[in-house]
Amino acid sequence: MVENREKSKIFCYFVSMESDEKSFEISRLLCQWYEENKRELPWRQTRDPYRIWLSEVILQQTRIAQGLPYYNSFIRHYPDVKALAAADEDSILRLWQGLGYYSRARHLLEAARSIVSDHGGVFPRRYEDILRLQGIGRYTASAIASFAYDEPRPVLDGNVYRVLARLYDIEANILDSRSEKLFLQLALETMDPRHAAVHNQAMMELGALCCTPASPQCDRCPIAAHCLALASGKVSERPVRISGLKRKTRHFHYLCLYDGHSLYLQQRQDKDIWQHLWEFPLIEDDATDWTALLASHPEIGRWTGRGASLLACRHYRHQLTHQTIQADFYLVRTGTSAGSPSEKAVHIAVNEIDKYPVPILVKRFADQLEALIS
Ligand code: SF4
């Protein structure tokens, strides 16, 4: 294990060397391995910062196999930043549907528009300028600046954290934000600044293909001879991940108010999950069933009208990073004098739901609707 004192020795060692003395042996081995083993992916065949940005935003919290069709679809619809900037938000959210973290899609659009308005439609070159764009944090700015322009900025994603934690046998908790500085410094010192693009991608690819969370292939690893966790038998204990995350549970009751032809959708406005996406009228309440919900929300009676009947009820559990959503969907055949649940709700035919961007949770139920009402 590298104790903090020893880590500072590593830094002193790096810092005290003149740049021409540095061999960057680890970086050289990584880059060589990468050229021979990398997966061919569309965003690796370009230095276009727009495409690199798009791929990085899509792949945050998303596996490559899932993200690839979204990437291809975005490039088909919006081949450059000007085309994206001219899009409307609903179209972007609809293309994004299923990827989650919808604020990423909204930020993409805002950033594209500011590139057009503030940078003449040309993607900024420098890390500091990229970082000022909406929704772009240090990781994404580093990825764009290094992959597109070879600016020596270290990238730290989950794969890189794991490789570094093992390579230097780091005991610090990678889920503690205070550890970031240490890992950034290690990443920077490991990188050959002359080959930032290849080096960063090689680190990420090593974590994805070789230095995997379970069963890393140390016998095939190009930097095994330098790996301190391997030498000390601590590979399975690195990285250290201690989560202080507390998830809260929310109970959503969705009312699908069906009059035999149409139903209501409304747009989420609050600063909350799924902002600007569409959904059925929602009541958030801890009520455990329909009867309890009716008892505590008399307004439902005005929406459903006289003689309404409950046709079906479906329950789903939906897991987000910080929240668990327990959702009940009630399909109600409305009766006479049924009213709109809100002034802003739209009354649409059942087959028009697909025109609206909805959370994947709502889509799960919407996909069953035709069968439930037939
Ligand atoms: S030797 Fe094993 S643990 Fe160390 S970096 Fe390589 S794959 Fe990871």
Side-chain angles (χ1 to χ4, degrees):
M1 179 187 68
V2 179
E3 300 287 355
N4 280 338
R5 281 190 312 281
E6 292 171 282
K7 279 171 224 154
S8 59
K9 277 189 231 158
I10 292 174
F11 301 142
C12 291
Y13 167 74
F14 278 126
V15 170
S16 66
M17 282 195 297
E18 295 298 325
S19 59
D20 59 357
E21 285 180 70
K22 287 188 180 180
S23 65
F24 295 108
E25 177 64 3
I26 292 173
S27 186
R28 188 187 67 74
L29 292 166
L30 276 171
C31 293
Q32 186 180 345
W33 172 88
Y34 177 71
E35 295 300 351
E36 291 163 6
N37 294 279
K38 68 180 173 190
R39 291 165 293 178
E40 294 301 336
L41 296 166
W43 48 85
R44 288 191 176 151
Q45 287 148 17
T46 178
R47 302 293 289 253
D48 178 350
Y50 168 70
R51 293 180 179 222
I52 291 167
W53 171 47
L54 199 54
S55 70
E56 287 300 328
V57 176
I58 287 173
L59 292 177
Q60 282 165 25
Q61 320 279 350
T62 304
R63 286 173 292 107
I64 285 179
Q66 190 199 354
L68 189 55
Y70 284 89
Y71 173 85
N72 288 332
S73 176
F74 263 85
I75 291 297
R76 225 176 17 257
H77 285 84
Y78 310 111
D80 55 39
V81 74
K82 288 181 180 164
L84 180 62
D88 65 86
E89 188 180 274
D90 267 3
S91 304
I92 298 296
L93 290 174
R94 220 171 33 247
L95 268 190
W96 198 266
Q97 197 166 279
L99 270 179
Y101 298 93
Y102 291 86
S103 57
R104 289 183 291 163
R106 289 194 302 276
H107 290 159
L108 261 182
L109 185 57
E110 286 175 46
R113 287 174 178 167
S114 76
I115 290 170
V116 169
S117 61
D118 303 342
H119 300 271
V122 179
F123 211 99
R125 282 190 70 95
R126 294 174 49 248
Y127 168 84
E128 300 294 347
D129 296 329
I130 298 170
L131 193 57
R132 282 192 202 100
L133 295 170
Q134 185 70 27
I136 295 192
R138 287 201 294 270
Y139 164 78
T140 308
S142 295
I144 298 168
S146 64
F147 299 174
Y149 304 120
D150 255 325
E151 187 172 329
R153 297 278 175 179
V155 292
L156 277 186
D157 69 352
N159 285 325
V160 176
Y161 266 112
R162 188 169 54 255
V163 171
L164 289 171
R166 288 172 174 170
L167 180 60
Y168 296 110
D169 193 13
I170 303 295
E171 194 184 18
N173 176 15
I174 63 166
L175 299 183
D176 183 339
S177 57
R178 288 169 296 186
S179 304
E180 186 186 5
K181 197 170 164 198
L182 166 66
F183 280 90
L184 273 176
Q185 196 163 353
L186 285 170
L188 189 61
E189 296 295 353
T190 310
M191 173 197 296
D192 182 341
R194 297 163 298 182
H195 307 292
V198 179
H199 171 90
N200 277 341
Q201 292 179 86
M203 287 285 281
M204 295 162 81
E205 194 74 335
L206 188 81
L209 299 184
C210 184
C211 192
T212 48
S215 315
Q217 300 172 35
C218 302
D219 52 336
R220 299 176 52 198
C221 176
I223 53 174
H226 300 268
C227 181
L228 298 183
L230 182 64
S232 61
K234 293 273 180 63
V235 171
S236 62
E237 295 168 38
R238 302 288 179 260
V240 173
R241 297 169 59 93
I242 302 167
S243 172
L245 183 71
K246 286 196 179 61
R247 289 202 175 105
K248 70 171 175 179
T249 298
R250 300 172 70 179
H251 296 263
F252 283 9
H253 300 272
Y254 279 117
L255 276 68
C256 185
L257 303 168
Y258 174 62
D259 65 3
H261 174 259
S262 305
L263 42 73
Y264 288 101
L265 283 187
Q266 55 193 28
Q267 195 174 28
R268 290 180 69 85
Q269 299 293 350
D270 296 340
K271 279 212 172 301
D272 194 356
I273 55 171
W274 307 330
Q275 197 181 9
H276 297 180
L277 296 193
W278 293 78
E279 62 188 0
F280 302 113
L282 168 68
I283 292 177
E284 187 169 354
D285 187 293
D286 286 340
T288 50
D289 58 28
W290 178 239
T291 309
L293 191 69
L294 281 177
S296 53
H297 290 274
E299 71 273 24
I300 294 176
R302 292 197 299 276
W303 303 344
T304 56
R306 281 190 297 280
S309 56
L310 182 63
L311 299 181
C313 179
R314 292 287 181 274
H315 179 82
Y316 302 105
R317 180 179 180 278
H318 190 70
Q319 190 64 61
L320 302 170
T321 309
H322 299 280
Q323 306 181 21
T324 302
I325 309 293
Q326 298 286 1
D328 286 304
F329 289 81
Y330 306 102
L331 174 59
V332 179
R333 180 71 158 88
T334 53
T336 52
S337 313
S340 170
S342 111
E343 283 177 9
K344 292 186 177 161
V346 294
H347 204 212
I348 59 165
V350 171
N351 61 9
E352 288 181 304
I353 295 180
D354 282 348
K355 294 181 183 168
Y356 291 80
V358 298
I360 206 70
L361 169 66
V362 172
K363 182 154 173 44
R364 278 179 79 184
F365 181 74
D367 285 347
Q368 295 193 17
L369 258 180
E370 298 275 3
L372 289 174
I373 60 183
S374 60

